[in-house]
Amino acid sequence: MPGMTLATSDGIDINVNATLTDETVLSSTVTVPTVEAAVILKSYAWRDRPGAGKDATDLYNLFLVLDQHGSAAVGGWRLDQSNLTGARGDAARNLHQLADRLDTRPNRRGDALDNGALALLIREHITEPE
C-alpha cells in the first residue's frame, strides 16, 4: 500500500496506563504513526473511496490536532515543503483534489463536517502540487 513504509518507519511513542477494576495497573508503550503519516494514508483512503465521509472527517480531525499541538509535537510535518515527491507528492495531489471538491459542495443542515473549514486547512498545510 502506498504510504505504508512512511507510516511505519517513524512514529510517536505514547505511554498508556490502564487501571483494571481490581485496581491492577497495566502500563505499556504504544508506537503510533505521526500525524503526517496518518494524513498521507487517509489521503489514499479518500482517493480510493471518495464518497466515504468518514475519511474526510478523519482528515479534518488530524488537521485540528496539527493546528492545536504544532508540527514538533505530532512527529514533524513536511507536507508544506516544496517539490514533494513519492507518497507526500501523491498525498498533496489527493488532498488538493479533495479541497477542490469540497469547494463545490455546500454544507447541508446536519452535516458533521464543515467542508469549507477542511478545504482551508488543506490549503494552509499542504503544498499545492506542481
Side-chain angles (χ1 to χ4, degrees):
M1 171 180 205
M4 189 58 77
T5 301
L6 183 63
T8 58
S9 63
D10 289 319
I12 300 170
D13 291 334
I14 298 176
N15 297 319
V16 179
N17 297 310
T19 304
L20 305 180
T21 56
D22 67 357
E23 301 303 318
T24 302
V25 177
L26 302 176
S27 298
S28 182
T29 300
V30 179
T31 302
V32 297
T34 65
V35 170
E36 181 188 56
V39 165
I40 290 169
L41 289 174
K42 270 295 173 182
S43 81
Y44 284 111
W46 175 83
R47 182 197 65 190
D48 291 344
R49 50 183 188 197
K54 180 185 182 318
D55 295 320
T57 300
D58 289 345
L59 283 162
Y60 179 73
N61 290 326
L62 288 164
F63 281 115
L64 291 180
V65 169
L66 174 64
D67 263 359
Q68 183 175 14
H69 297 283
S71 62
V74 299
W77 189 261
R78 295 179 23 203
L79 287 168
D80 58 354
Q81 296 179 358
S82 60
N83 301 317
L84 297 173
T85 60
R88 285 183 179 94
D90 290 345
R93 284 184 289 281
N94 296 341
L95 291 166
H96 277 276
Q97 184 180 46
L98 170 58
D100 292 345
R101 284 190 185 185
L102 292 171
D103 284 340
T104 64
R105 290 187 188 156
N107 279 71
R108 292 173 291 198
R109 187 176 16 203
D111 281 353
L113 177 67
D114 181 340
N115 292 343
L118 177 54
L120 182 65
L121 286 165
I122 290 169
R123 292 193 176 99
E124 179 181 338
H125 294 290
I126 309 293
T127 298
E128 181 86 33
E130 297 178 7

